[in-house]
């Protein structure tokens, strides 16, 4: 069945659609985004580069990558004799190990690089790992704080402040761990669990992405005496703040070290969860729990998704002492009043019923939840949050949202409730503002200060390491962006129908066409419902009709949302209309495109929306954004993100979709406009009715003409008037029956 032919109005199917590579065609051979397109330098160039050491030069060609990291075949192949020698060496190693066959390369000496080569490989993959050493200020007196303020003022007056700031930046320690060439190196090099290595092989993980290439060696490498700048001296004991593009495998990057650490730590029987992962939405939490179950299969590690009614803390322990005393006194009074045996039997029966109705405590090593669901399960009767000292690993997936004002209070309450001094925190997201980083640092400082005040015997404070992949707050470079001006709401609806029913092939051969399945994002839930009702019958009956399009939003029940997600993943739904509920973290591997029917609320929201396509290095994804006259003050935010993404791809000048004249013509939004847009979106389309109660034409999604709408409104008005008239007649009749003349006495 040709989907494009069924949806197209034209009888001629475009010629280039069959040759077009789509994300739905399958997994990419190399899921990495950077590091495989670097040109080979000549020997003369390398000699010149050795002599020149003044300042970093990003335009210099990079040296060729090693054979195990050159996944596109740019490195020269080994001779047949070398291959035979490698095979014989592997067979000897297997014989020496007692014939053990793990399916991985046991020759680890060829995979170890020196420090300079490791630096070059990490830089070619656009990886920057920094140790934030200024995150732990000591607690000092007020006098010392005043002195510090005076010194700061003097420094601000000094003209050489910029030089000092540059020196501080250069003084931050950079880490260059051994890059991971393949997942097959995890077991021989880092001695991970055999079952975990088998599960990775079973799930098809072979080539690591950039974030996995850097974080897994940091977490798994053991302490070395002469570790240099590889990060091995920390022995995996640190807090991590990671900024990596969407679809780059962040979930696997933090699940593998957690599962491996839980498998190696079997000293004590845990009385509660040892690892907690929180996510902003239920869909993302369910996805993380599924991945954790796949990786922990047959390992004895249990991963559970937090559901309603689950108990995390024993309620008997969670009750306050005053409540327990009151309960004991009440039971003693009842025992004195009811001394008969029958009453005692009834009491025992009631107590058994109460114990049966109480839910059992969750027995899981890894607990995945949303902040509110976990917080409600940890709350006591007096409203306080119970402490959990068993948690050793705390992961905030989409940390910028979890530390945003919407979830900030809930997240910080959970963070402070985990009182284990050995707690290690991981913050992961594709976008991370400076305010989020500052809040994370201050939370770590206050938590450590409270721990040091309560206990004297504390382990050394771990450092905070920051990992950045590519450019911060930028979209992935392997998708095509289209910024379309539609003028009005009717223009957007017309443009969406043209995307859904293409009439001809695109004029530009480099620009791929949008083909299902794809997502459509709207600003509010009412707009998503209205757009769904408008497009419900646009797909022809031969292609499945209205069953091919659906809407998903937060007002639906959890069972309905799960059913829609299942149908969409199976391919039964081609077009899914949704809000920002699905904009973060949810992995749709075969999604061919994303349509921003309404402009996103921020540049970060755009990065996460378009990141639903082009996952794991898949090429051919399309991101279309419609904007109207009301959106013009905010379009420059998105245009800058598109321009930065295309620069990473190598497009500039005439090849770029966003021209320089457009960037110059678009107005720059003020700070207040950015804040208002992030909180409320575009105000013109927020409510279907204006302040005067009349229909808001700017927020309306409909193709009905003004005359038809006027006739419908008149008809509705006449019906309402008839109903009101009938109610008035009934009231008059009732009042008349009370005052009727009943004759003489």
């Amino acid at each position: 069945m040709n989907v494009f032919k069924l949806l197209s109005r034209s009888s001629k199917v475009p010629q280039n659609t069959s040759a077009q590579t789509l994300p739905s065609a399958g997994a990419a051979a190399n899921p990495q985004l950077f590091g495989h397109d670097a040109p080979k330098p000549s020997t003369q160039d390398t000699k010149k580069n050795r002599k020149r050491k003044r300042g970093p030069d990003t335009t210099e060609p990079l040296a060729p990558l090693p054979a195990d990291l050159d996944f596109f075949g740019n490195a020269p192949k080994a001779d047949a004799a070398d291959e035979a020698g490698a095979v014989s060496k592997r067979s000897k190693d297997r014989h020496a190990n007692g014939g053990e066959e793990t399916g991985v390369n046991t020759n680890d000496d060829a995979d170890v690089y020196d420090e300079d080569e490791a630096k070059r490989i990490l830089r070619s993959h656009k990886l920057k790992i920094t140790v934030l050493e200024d995150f732990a200020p000591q607690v000092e007196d007020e006098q010392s704080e005043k002195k510090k303020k005076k010194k700061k003022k003097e420094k601000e007056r000094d003209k050489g402040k910029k030089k000092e700031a540059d020196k501080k930046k250069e003084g931050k320690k950079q880490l260059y761990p051994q890059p991971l060439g393949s997942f097959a190196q995890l077991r021989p090099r880092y001695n991970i669990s055999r079952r975990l290595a088998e599960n990775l092989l079973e799930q098809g993980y072979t080539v690591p992405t950039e974030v996995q290439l850097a974080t897994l060696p940091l977490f798994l490498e053991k302490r070395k005496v002469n570790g240099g700048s590889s990060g091995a001296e920390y022995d995996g004991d640190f807090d991590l703040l990671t900024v990596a593009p969407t679809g780059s495998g962040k979930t696997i990057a933090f699940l593998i070290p957690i599962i491996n650490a839980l498998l190696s730590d079997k000293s004590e029987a845990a009385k509660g969860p040892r690892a907690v992962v929180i996510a902003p939405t239920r869909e993302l939490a369910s996805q993380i729990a599924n991945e954790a179950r796949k990786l922990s299969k047959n390992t004895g590690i249990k991963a559970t998704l937090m559901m309603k009614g689950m108990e995390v803390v024993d309620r008997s322990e969670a009750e306050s002492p005053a409540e327990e005393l009151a309960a004991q006194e009440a039971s003693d009074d009842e025992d004195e009043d009811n001394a008969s045996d029958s009453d005692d039997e009834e009491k025992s029966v009631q107590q058994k019923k109460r114990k049966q109705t109480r839910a059992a405590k969750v027995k899981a090593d890894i607990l995945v939840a949303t902040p509110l669901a976990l917080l409600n399960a940890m709350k006591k009767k007096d409203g306080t949050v119970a402490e959990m000292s068993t948690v050793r690993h705390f992961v905030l997936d989409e940390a910028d949202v979890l530390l945003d004002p919407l979830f900030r209070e809930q997240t910080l309450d959970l963070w402070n409730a985990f009182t284990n001094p050995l707690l290690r925190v991981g913050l992961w997201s594709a976008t991370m503002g400076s305010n989020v980083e500052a809040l994370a640092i201050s939370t770590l400082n206050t938590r450590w200060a409270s721990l040091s005040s309560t206990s004297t015997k504390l382990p050394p404070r771990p450092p905070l390491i920051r990992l950045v992949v590519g450019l911060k707050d930028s979209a992935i470079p392997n998708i095509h962006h289209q910024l379309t001006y539609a003028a009005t709401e009717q223009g957007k609806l017309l443009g969406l129908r043209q995307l859904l029913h293409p009439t001809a092939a695109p004029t530009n051969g480099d620009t791929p066409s949008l083909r299902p399945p794809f997502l459509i994002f709207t600003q509010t839930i009412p707009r998503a419902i209205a757009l769904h009702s408008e497009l419900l019958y646009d797909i022809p009956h031969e292609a499945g009709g209205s069953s091919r399009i659906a809407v998903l939003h937060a007002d639906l029940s959890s069972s309905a949302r799960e059913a829609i997600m299942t149908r969409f993943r199976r391919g039964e739904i081609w077009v899914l209309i949704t809000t920002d509920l699905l904009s973060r973290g949810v992995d749709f591997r075969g999604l061919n495109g994303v349509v921003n029917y309404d402009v996103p609320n921020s540049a970060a929201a755009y990065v996460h929306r378009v990141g639903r396509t082009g996952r794991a290095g898949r090429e051919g994804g399309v991101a279309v954004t419609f904007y109207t006259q009301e959106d013009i003050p905010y379009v420059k935010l998105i245009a800058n993100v598109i321009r930065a993404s295309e620069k990473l791809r190598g497009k500039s000048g005439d090849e770029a979709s966003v021209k320089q004249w457009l960037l110059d013509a678009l107005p720059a939004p003020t700070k207040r406009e950015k804040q208002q847009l992030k909180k409320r979106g575009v105000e013109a389309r927020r409510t279907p009715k204006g302040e005067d109660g009349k229909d808001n034409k700017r927020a309306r999604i409909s193709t009905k003409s003004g005359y038809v709408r006027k006739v419908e409104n008149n008809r509705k008005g006449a019906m309402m008037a008839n109903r009101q008239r009938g109610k008035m007649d009934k009231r008059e009749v009732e009042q008349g029956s009370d005052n009727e003349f009943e004759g003489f006495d």
Side-chain angles (χ1 to χ4, degrees):
M1 182 177 64
N2 194 336
V3 177
F4 197 89
K5 189 173 181 180
L6 286 171
L7 294 177
S8 178
R9 293 195 188 104
S10 176
S11 59
K12 296 181 179 180
V13 181
Q15 298 294 328
N16 63 343
T17 56
S18 59
Q20 179 182 336
T21 57
L22 296 173
S24 58
N30 186 2
Q32 297 176 352
L33 298 174
F34 313 106
H36 44 260
D37 293 330
K40 294 182 180 180
S42 61
T43 55
Q44 296 178 357
D45 295 336
T46 53
K47 290 180 181 179
K48 291 179 181 178
N49 293 336
R50 287 175 186 174
K51 293 180 180 179
R52 291 179 59 191
K53 294 184 179 180
R54 290 185 179 179
D57 188 4
T58 56
T59 60
E60 294 179 2
L62 297 171
L65 295 176
D68 55 351
L69 287 178
D70 191 3
F71 303 104
F72 277 66
N74 293 328
K77 294 183 178 180
D79 296 334
D82 296 337
E83 293 180 359
V87 171
S88 62
K89 191 173 183 180
R90 286 197 296 269
S91 63
K92 289 179 182 179
D93 292 337
R94 282 200 305 271
H95 182 70
N97 293 331
E100 182 181 359
E101 179 63 41
T102 59
V104 297
N105 184 12
T106 57
N107 185 14
D108 192 30
D109 296 335
D111 300 330
V112 178
Y113 312 107
D114 57 3
E115 187 173 350
D116 293 335
E117 196 169 3
K119 287 181 181 180
R120 180 181 54 81
I121 294 171
L122 294 174
R123 285 171 181 170
S124 67
H125 286 280
K126 300 187 184 302
L127 287 162
K128 187 176 182 181
I129 308 169
T130 310
V131 179
L132 302 178
E133 296 180 351
D134 55 348
F135 74 102
Q138 296 179 356
V139 180
E140 298 178 355
D141 299 334
E142 295 181 357
Q143 295 180 357
S144 59
E145 289 180 359
K146 290 180 180 179
K147 291 180 181 179
K148 275 191 172 184
K149 289 180 180 179
K150 289 181 180 179
K151 289 181 181 179
K152 285 182 180 179
K153 289 181 180 179
E154 292 175 358
K155 287 181 181 179
E156 288 177 359
R157 295 171 186 172
D158 191 5
K159 295 180 180 180
K161 186 184 175 184
K162 292 183 180 179
K163 295 181 180 179
E164 293 178 2
D166 294 338
K167 288 181 181 179
K168 286 182 180 180
K169 288 182 180 179
E170 292 176 359
K172 288 184 179 179
K173 185 179 179 181
Q174 301 288 329
L175 296 181
Y176 302 97
Q178 283 287 325
L180 184 69
S182 65
F183 282 98
Q185 297 174 354
L186 288 175
R187 176 146 177 82
R189 183 185 292 182
Y190 304 111
N191 195 23
I192 67 169
S193 170
R194 181 193 302 275
R195 291 293 177 86
L196 180 57
E198 291 175 355
N199 291 336
L200 287 169
L201 184 64
E202 184 181 350
Q203 295 300 320
Y205 292 108
T206 55
V207 180
T209 60
E210 276 79 9
V211 66
Q212 298 162 359
L213 181 146
T215 55
L216 292 179
L218 273 176
F219 279 113
L220 300 175
E221 194 167 4
K222 294 183 179 180
R223 190 186 301 275
K224 295 180 182 178
V225 178
N226 298 322
S229 60
S230 64
E233 62 271 19
Y234 300 117
D235 201 13
D237 189 16
F238 53 84
D239 298 324
L240 185 64
L241 190 147
T242 307
V243 185
T246 55
S248 59
K250 293 186 287 295
T251 304
I252 303 299
F254 65 73
L255 281 179
I256 291 176
I258 288 176
I259 294 174
N260 189 65
L262 296 181
L263 288 172
S264 60
D265 185 16
K266 294 182 179 179
S267 57
E268 296 180 359
K271 298 180 181 179
R274 293 183 287 169
V276 173
V277 182
I278 58 173
T281 61
R282 180 181 173 80
E283 284 75 15
L284 180 55
S286 176
Q287 177 181 297
I288 295 171
N290 288 334
E291 292 296 328
R293 292 189 192 104
K294 293 176 184 176
L295 293 181
S296 60
K297 181 182 176 183
N298 298 327
T299 60
I301 301 297
K302 185 179 180 182
T304 304
L305 175 65
M306 190 70 196
M307 306 287 287
K308 286 184 179 179
M310 285 186 175
E311 291 278 347
V312 180
V313 183
D314 292 333
R315 292 298 180 183
S316 58
E317 297 177 359
E319 290 179 357
S320 62
E323 289 180 348
E324 291 180 357
L325 289 173
Q328 289 178 2
E329 290 177 358
S331 61
D332 293 340
D333 294 339
E334 288 179 358
D335 290 339
E336 291 177 359
D337 295 337
N338 305 319
S340 61
D341 296 336
S342 60
D343 292 342
D344 292 337
E345 292 177 358
E346 290 178 0
K347 279 185 182 181
S348 61
V349 171
Q350 289 178 0
Q351 289 177 358
K352 288 181 181 179
K353 287 182 178 180
R354 289 175 184 174
K355 289 181 181 179
Q356 290 175 358
T357 54
R358 183 180 298 166
K361 186 180 176 181
V362 176
K363 295 181 180 179
D365 300 292
I366 303 174
L367 185 63
V368 187
T370 56
L372 186 60
L374 183 57
L375 194 63
N376 289 336
M378 294 175 60
K379 277 188 177 180
K380 302 178 184 178
K381 291 184 179 180
D382 58 353
T384 58
V385 181
E387 295 180 353
M388 290 179 64
S389 59
T390 59
V391 179
R392 283 284 312 275
H393 307 274
F394 183 43
V395 176
L396 285 77
D397 199 8
E398 306 298 337
D400 55 334
V401 173
L402 294 173
L403 295 177
D404 204 57
L406 183 63
F407 295 100
R408 181 180 299 170
E409 186 177 354
Q410 303 168 9
T411 304
L412 294 180
D413 288 344
L414 291 174
W415 197 337
N416 295 325
F418 302 144
T419 56
N420 194 329
L422 300 177
L423 179 71
R424 298 299 169 256
V425 184
L427 296 92
W428 303 73
S429 182
T431 53
M432 195 84 69
S434 58
N435 58 341
V436 176
E437 185 176 333
L439 179 61
I441 291 172
S442 64
T443 306
L444 288 171
N445 288 331
T446 53
R447 184 180 180 277
W448 191 260
S450 63
L451 288 175
S452 59
S453 62
T454 55
S455 60
T456 56
K457 296 181 180 180
L458 285 176
R461 185 172 181 184
L464 176 63
I465 298 176
R466 180 179 61 196
L467 168 66
V468 179
V469 181
L471 292 177
K472 241 181 139 180
D473 302 339
S474 63
I476 51 177
N478 58 335
I479 61 176
H480 299 269
H481 303 267
Q482 298 178 18
L483 199 59
T484 305
Y485 178 65
T488 61
E489 289 293 329
Q490 287 75 18
K492 288 201 297 185
L493 195 56
L494 179 62
L496 182 58
R497 282 200 164 100
Q498 287 178 350
L499 290 176
L500 192 59
H501 302 281
T503 57
T507 56
N508 187 5
D510 296 335
T511 304
S513 59
L514 182 65
R515 299 181 65 184
F518 58 86
L519 288 173
I520 302 176
F521 286 100
T522 60
Q523 180 176 319
T524 60
I525 295 175
R527 288 179 63 80
I529 297 172
L531 186 61
H532 174 252
S533 61
E534 189 66 32
L535 300 177
L536 192 58
Y537 302 104
D538 274 37
I539 298 179
H541 179 70
E542 296 80 7
S546 59
S547 63
R548 297 296 187 184
I549 187 168
V551 60
L552 190 145
H553 50 79
D555 286 350
L556 295 174
S557 62
S558 58
S559 58
R561 286 156 63 176
E562 290 176 1
I564 293 172
M565 289 284 289
T566 303
R567 290 180 58 207
F568 188 64
R569 292 185 188 278
R570 289 178 180 174
E572 299 174 4
I573 296 174
W574 291 354
V575 180
L576 182 59
I577 304 170
T578 183
T579 58
D580 282 334
L581 180 70
L582 295 183
S583 64
R584 285 181 171 265
V586 184
D587 187 21
F588 298 115
R589 298 180 181 177
L591 196 69
N592 290 331
V594 170
V595 177
N596 291 314
Y597 190 81
D598 293 334
V599 168
N601 293 1
S602 62
Y606 178 81
V607 171
H608 286 278
R609 279 187 182 184
V610 302
R612 297 315 97 208
T613 184
R615 312 282 292 180
R618 290 174 171 85
E619 296 284 343
V622 182
V624 182
T625 303
F626 293 109
Y627 68 100
T628 62
Q629 191 70 26
E630 290 80 12
D631 302 321
I632 289 178
Y634 317 110
V635 175
K636 195 165 187 176
L637 299 172
I638 300 168
N640 289 329
V641 174
I642 296 175
R643 191 69 179 270
S645 174
E646 290 180 343
K647 280 185 179 180
L648 287 175
R649 193 180 178 87
K651 287 186 176 182
S652 60
D654 296 336
E655 295 180 355
S657 60
V658 177
K659 310 298 180 183
Q660 186 62 40
W661 62 265
L662 180 60
L663 284 174
D664 296 337
L666 288 171
T670 62
K671 187 176 181 180
R672 185 178 180 183
E673 287 176 343
K674 290 180 183 179
Q675 292 175 353
Q676 288 295 115
L677 181 69
K678 188 177 180 180
K679 288 180 180 179
R680 300 181 59 82
V682 179
E683 197 67 31
R685 63 175 66 99
R686 183 165 179 80
T687 55
K689 291 186 178 181
E691 296 179 357
D692 54 355
K694 294 183 180 180
D695 192 8
N696 187 5
K697 296 180 181 179
R698 294 180 180 178
R700 190 170 60 204
I701 299 179
S702 178
T703 53
K704 292 181 181 178
S705 63
Y707 176 76
V708 173
R709 194 173 297 278
K710 184 178 179 180
V711 171
E712 289 181 355
N713 291 337
N714 292 337
R715 192 174 298 168
K716 289 180 181 178
M719 292 173 64
M720 292 296 295
N722 289 334
R723 290 177 183 174
Q724 290 180 359
R725 196 177 297 116
K727 290 180 181 178
M728 292 293 293
D729 293 341
K730 286 183 179 179
R731 290 177 183 175
E732 290 177 357
V733 170
E734 291 175 357
Q735 291 177 1
S737 63
D738 294 339
N739 298 328
E740 280 184 355
F741 178 70
E742 297 179 356
F744 296 101
D745 293 336

